[in-house]
Amino acid sequence: MDFSTQQLRNVSIAGHGQTGKTALFEQLLFTGGAVAKPESVESGKTVSDCSSEEIQRKISIYASLAHLTWKNTLVNVWDTPGSSDFIGEVISAFRASEMTVMLVDARTGAQIETIKLWRDLDRRNKPRMLFVNKCEDDRADFAAASKDIHDKFNVEVCALTIPMGCGRSFAGVVDVLHGKAYAADGSAEKEMPIPAEYEEAYKTARGVLAGAAAEGDEDLLVKFIDEGELSAEEIIRGLKIAFANNRVVPAFAGSAARNSGTTALLDFIAEIAPDPSSVFETARNEAGETATVKISDGGSVSAQCVKTASDQFSGRLSYLKVVTGTLSADSELYNLTENRKEKIGKLYRCVGKKLEEIKSAAAGDVCIAVKLAVTKTSDTLSALPDAVPFVKLRHPEPVYSVAVSAKDKRDEDKMGEQLARAAEDDRTLAFRYNPETKQNVVSGMGELHIGIILDRVRAQSKITIDTAVPRIAYRETVQRKAQAEYTHKKQSGGHGQYARVVLSVEPLDRGANYQFTNAVFGGAISKGYIPGVEKGVKEAMEHGVLAGYPVVDTAVTVLDGKEHPVDSSEMAFKIAARNAFRDAMRNAGAILLEPVMNITVWVESKYLGDIMSDISGKRGRILGQTPLAGGIEEIRAQAPQSELLKYAIDLRSMTSGTGSFETAFSHYDPISGKLADEIIQAAKAFIQSAPEE
């Protein structure tokens, strides 16, 4: 059947690793009738963890989409990974969803990924629900986990369900909104009256819920203050407003392992959670001007590609979030990002990797198009060629890199094609050839992230790939003003070659790069030869005299010279200038420069001292720190890039996998002494061993 925008709900499931996201995803699909039987992660047969990598490692790596119908509502559900290495997949799901179910373990409350994801949802101002999972486990405490969320994020948490017992005594949940209970027996939930021993807890939770609902509407607030209670209809009305405006966090108790709590969660999503028409997307033109676009069935068709993936049977899959109009199969749209037409063939919904063909998708729906020619993640599709594209998905920059090479050099191109294609699907992955270091470098969010990508390429292409630590792109410069002269003279019969160049070099401010001045008087060098002189200088600056690194932040002044009426040429002056520059650079005290990075680290407060000490030990400089919500500290620092090549691994080790960081290039700093000597020796050894091009 077809669904209107008002009948749609898009929800993502997110949380720290091992909180049971995939298990809850399975139970929601089972409760909603989308699958006949919920599978366990251990079985390797779950809907979402269907790739060979996920089955082997028993973790979620990719965001997986499925749909179910509940109370005449189509619910699109995303299961997302819990590891920060795969944050790009979570971002795709967040962008495609109007709300998120945040899972926490009933034994631990908020963990580091909970805090980081919560912060991302705050940035998006996206409503969220709390599902306190594993209430059947020893040490489970629904109230303590809910309070932990309240305390760490300063939000109002109200229970929509409360557990009937915890740990071994867990028997199901009480639906506070509808005044009934559901027994947990490991299969489908069974509705039952609220047991007498939980009647008092139900009444208390009902009062708290009514108070939270009253915050959504001024009239309801007045009534609640006057009378102390609200009807079920009034609570629903108030919750709709409060939840859509992100003023309240509904909390659900449950157990994904025993399929408890899913019925009440789906009821809330269908009855109270906002449909996509309440959401605005942002479009931005080339001038940086923004405009909001309401998700609506009206108007011409527009959509954004929130995710791409490759399927061995169906080919390239493009997950499209329809923003305006109704997207129909066999239509033609413009890819505004690539400025090309794109033919939309068949459209599909999916349950994991199982595709179900549909004729059309309404605004707010997420559908799949196959084998699109040019569309990539973040691209905008529109029926109008002059429409303004939507703001791209905001993916973090990669933080960990390795140099890669094919063992058989004949496979280099094939390896590059595979990695470039992977980078198109995964926007937190980057692959490029660095001409300075003569290395292919793949960058991602961590060792696990890159390891999985390389393993997949090895398996699919049968290529043996070697990895190494990437070489650093150092620079060279001068420390003081100096000059030199060089005469290029060659005679071999006929016209010879003659040019004499006198020039000086001196340091410029960091980041100034290069300055060239012609200070020749009296026509010692004709104006027609000065371009040749500058070309020679620029060629010499490509490879410095210390270790062959590019020369920067240097001013060059041509002072004098001499030419021959017959034997001089632009080429002769280029050669003379090149050699004169090298001699002047040696006289000016050439020195190495190393790249320094800005680094921002987020860690739990208990690791603050260790992290700051480690950064200092990496020749870093602490710039400041800021305490954030949830007991997180933000540390801002600068450190040499060479010290940060394995920082993703180091930070994971120091923080038990809970820390995260971002880096960005800042500037170049001088480096000398033993460290510089080692770098120079290594560079010379590489130059000698490198094959000639």
Side-chain angles (χ1 to χ4, degrees):
M1 63 177 290
D2 294 329
F3 293 88
S4 68
T5 301
Q6 288 69 34
Q7 292 174 292
L8 295 171
R9 304 289 186 272
N10 297 304
V11 59
S12 51
I13 301 175
H16 194 84
Q18 307 302 315
T19 51
K21 296 180 295 298
T22 297
L24 178 64
F25 184 71
E26 284 285 313
Q27 296 293 7
L28 288 173
L29 296 181
F30 171 66
T31 302
V35 297
K37 175 189 174 186
E39 297 286 354
S40 66
V41 173
E42 290 72 22
S43 72
K45 299 178 181 178
T46 61
V47 168
S48 58
D49 292 352
C50 53
S51 71
S52 59
E53 301 105 317
E54 291 172 314
I55 293 170
Q56 178 184 351
R57 297 172 185 266
K58 292 183 170 44
I59 60 170
S60 295
I61 296 172
Y62 310 103
S64 183
L65 177 64
H67 70 275
L68 58 91
T69 54
W70 190 260
K71 295 189 173 181
N72 201 35
T73 301
L74 177 71
V75 183
N76 291 314
V77 189
W78 292 86
D79 179 26
T80 68
S83 169
S84 59
D85 279 43
F86 312 112
I87 186 62
E89 297 289 318
V90 184
I91 288 170
S92 292
F94 280 0
R95 184 64 176 264
S97 307
E98 282 73 58
M99 72 206 89
T100 295
V101 177
M102 185 67 73
L103 251 68
V104 299
D105 192 316
R107 300 167 298 181
T108 57
Q111 296 167 274
I112 187 67
E113 288 303 315
T114 318
I115 295 167
K116 288 154 60 177
L117 294 170
W118 199 282
R119 188 168 63 232
D120 192 83
L121 290 171
D122 281 344
R123 187 180 62 80
R124 301 168 188 272
N125 195 28
K126 196 147 282 193
R128 70 221 67 175
M129 299 155 277
L130 183 67
F131 191 91
V132 181
N133 193 26
K134 303 187 179 182
C135 285
E136 82 285 2
D137 284 359
D138 291 339
R139 298 184 294 105
D141 191 329
F142 171 75
S146 300
K147 185 177 184 302
D148 189 45
I149 295 293
H150 169 272
D151 293 345
K152 284 183 175 173
F153 304 114
N154 193 28
V155 293
E156 182 171 3
V157 179
C158 62
L160 268 289
T161 63
I162 57 175
M164 295 190 292
C166 267
R168 296 179 183 178
S169 65
F170 177 73
V173 299
V174 173
D175 184 338
V176 178
L177 182 61
H178 298 99
K180 52 190 174 184
Y182 292 96
D185 63 1
S187 56
E189 289 186 288
K190 291 181 172 56
E191 185 179 328
M192 58 182 282
I194 299 174
E197 63 265 36
Y198 296 107
E199 192 68 38
E200 194 61 36
Y202 158 69
K203 289 179 180 178
T204 301
R206 177 84 174 191
V208 174
L209 181 61
E215 295 292 334
D217 184 275
E218 195 170 312
D219 293 337
L220 293 178
L221 183 60
V222 172
K223 180 180 178 182
F224 183 72
I225 293 173
D226 291 343
E227 302 179 15
E229 61 181 9
L230 298 175
S231 67
E233 292 76 16
E234 289 170 330
I235 291 175
I236 289 174
R237 190 175 90 215
L239 277 179
K240 281 184 176 181
I241 300 171
F243 181 67
N245 292 324
N246 209 11
R247 295 180 192 165
V248 65
V249 177
F252 297 83
S255 166
R258 295 175 59 181
N259 192 24
S260 179
T262 54
T263 302
L265 179 59
L266 286 173
D267 283 346
F268 179 88
I269 292 171
E271 297 171 1
I272 296 175
D275 65 70
S277 66
S278 66
V279 173
F280 291 82
E281 288 289 347
T282 303
R284 179 182 293 142
N285 63 18
E286 292 181 356
E289 300 167 332
T290 60
T292 54
V293 181
K294 182 179 174 63
I295 294 181
S296 168
D297 280 332
S300 58
V301 178
S302 66
Q304 184 171 44
C305 181
V306 296
K307 172 180 162 69
T308 57
S310 298
D311 182 83
Q312 60 177 329
F313 301 110
S314 304
R316 192 173 183 80
L317 307 179
S318 299
Y319 292 73
L320 306 178
K321 174 72 177 285
V322 184
V323 179
T324 58
T326 298
L327 178 60
S328 301
D330 299 318
S331 58
E332 191 173 72
L333 298 176
Y334 293 91
N335 184 313
L336 302 180
T337 311
E338 297 292 333
N339 197 27
R340 286 179 57 181
K341 287 183 178 180
E342 189 74 274
K343 174 69 176 177
I344 306 293
K346 293 181 178 181
L347 291 177
Y348 300 90
R349 287 199 182 98
C350 69
V351 177
K353 63 180 179 181
K354 179 184 176 185
L355 301 180
E356 302 172 0
E357 188 174 352
I358 57 175
K359 298 295 184 185
S360 62
D365 204 354
V366 181
C367 59
I368 296 174
V370 298
K371 299 178 181 177
L372 297 188
V374 296
T375 298
K376 305 182 297 297
T377 301
S378 282
D379 285 1
T380 297
L381 300 173
S382 174
L384 304 176
D386 56 351
V388 179
F390 299 116
V391 171
K392 291 180 177 291
L393 279 69
R394 180 182 176 272
H395 289 101
E397 291 296 316
V399 297
Y400 179 70
S401 300
V402 296
V404 293
S405 59
K407 192 166 188 123
D408 187 337
K409 295 305 175 185
R410 292 173 296 181
D411 291 330
E412 285 281 336
D413 289 344
K414 188 176 179 181
M415 178 195 73
E417 290 172 4
Q418 294 270 355
L419 288 172
R421 193 174 301 123
E424 287 183 2
D425 290 342
D426 184 347
R427 307 306 284 182
T428 60
L429 186 77
F431 174 71
R432 65 186 179 89
Y433 175 73
N434 188 330
E436 278 189 46
T437 62
K438 296 181 172 56
Q439 288 181 312
N440 287 304
V441 179
V442 58
S443 305
M445 300 312 297
E447 189 179 24
L448 177 61
H449 182 205
I450 291 180
I452 287 173
I453 296 293
L454 293 180
D455 285 348
R456 190 201 314 158
V457 172
R458 290 181 181 110
Q460 291 177 350
S461 59
K462 310 302 180 187
I463 296 174
T464 301
I465 299 176
D466 296 326
T467 62
V469 176
R471 287 188 287 275
I472 299 295
Y474 293 98
R475 296 286 186 267
E476 298 182 25
T477 193
V478 297
Q479 297 186 80
R480 57 183 177 270
K481 187 173 183 178
Q483 72 177 55
E485 66 173 270
Y486 189 89
T487 301
H488 175 65
K489 183 164 55 175
K490 187 174 182 182
Q491 190 70 43
S492 57
H495 286 309
Q497 295 181 28
Y498 181 85
R500 175 175 173 267
V501 173
V502 181
L503 55 76
S504 69
V505 297
E506 60 185 299
L508 290 174
D509 293 338
R510 289 289 164 263
N513 194 26
Y514 167 70
Q515 179 181 300
F516 180 83
T517 303
N518 176 19
V520 175
F521 292 100
I525 301 176
S526 301
K527 287 186 177 180
Y529 292 139
I530 295 300
V533 173
E534 185 168 13
K535 286 179 184 176
V537 168
K538 287 184 175 180
E539 281 188 8
M541 291 181 71
E542 292 177 2
H543 304 285
V545 298
L546 289 178
Y549 292 110
V551 181
V552 296
D553 303 341
T554 301
V556 180
T557 303
V558 186
L559 302 171
D560 197 4
K562 188 176 181 181
E563 62 185 64
H564 188 278
V566 176
D567 293 342
S568 289
S569 65
E570 182 176 306
M571 176 61 73
F573 273 99
K574 185 171 76 169
I575 294 171
R578 189 168 59 205
N579 286 283
F581 176 85
R582 288 173 177 163
D583 289 345
M585 188 176 177
R586 292 185 184 96
N587 297 337
I591 191 172
L592 274 183
L593 297 175
E594 66 175 345
V596 175
M597 311 297 286
N598 288 324
I599 178 170
T600 306
V601 187
W602 293 278
V603 294
E604 294 179 67
S605 300
K606 62 183 178 181
Y607 298 117
L608 180 63
D610 292 341
I611 298 304
M612 294 178 73
S613 175
D614 180 71
I615 291 174
S616 297
K618 286 178 163 53
R619 298 188 289 127
R621 182 166 63 96
I622 304 296
L623 302 179
Q625 65 184 82
T626 305
L628 303 176
I632 297 296
E633 294 283 344
E634 179 184 271
I635 305 165
R636 299 176 303 283
Q638 289 181 340
Q641 184 185 20
S642 61
E643 301 283 353
L644 300 176
L645 292 176
K646 293 186 177 182
Y647 193 64
I649 299 172
D650 296 342
L651 185 64
R652 188 180 297 274
S653 174
M654 287 186 292
T655 64
S656 301
T658 62
S660 65
F661 74 104
E662 292 178 359
T663 63
F665 173 76
S666 174
H667 63 281
Y668 279 92
D669 262 355
I671 182 173
S672 58
K674 182 180 178 182
L675 199 54
D677 292 341
E678 291 174 352
I679 294 168
I680 292 169
Q681 291 302 317
K684 289 180 177 178
F686 171 72
I687 292 170
Q688 292 173 359
S689 64
E692 294 185 5
E693 295 182 351

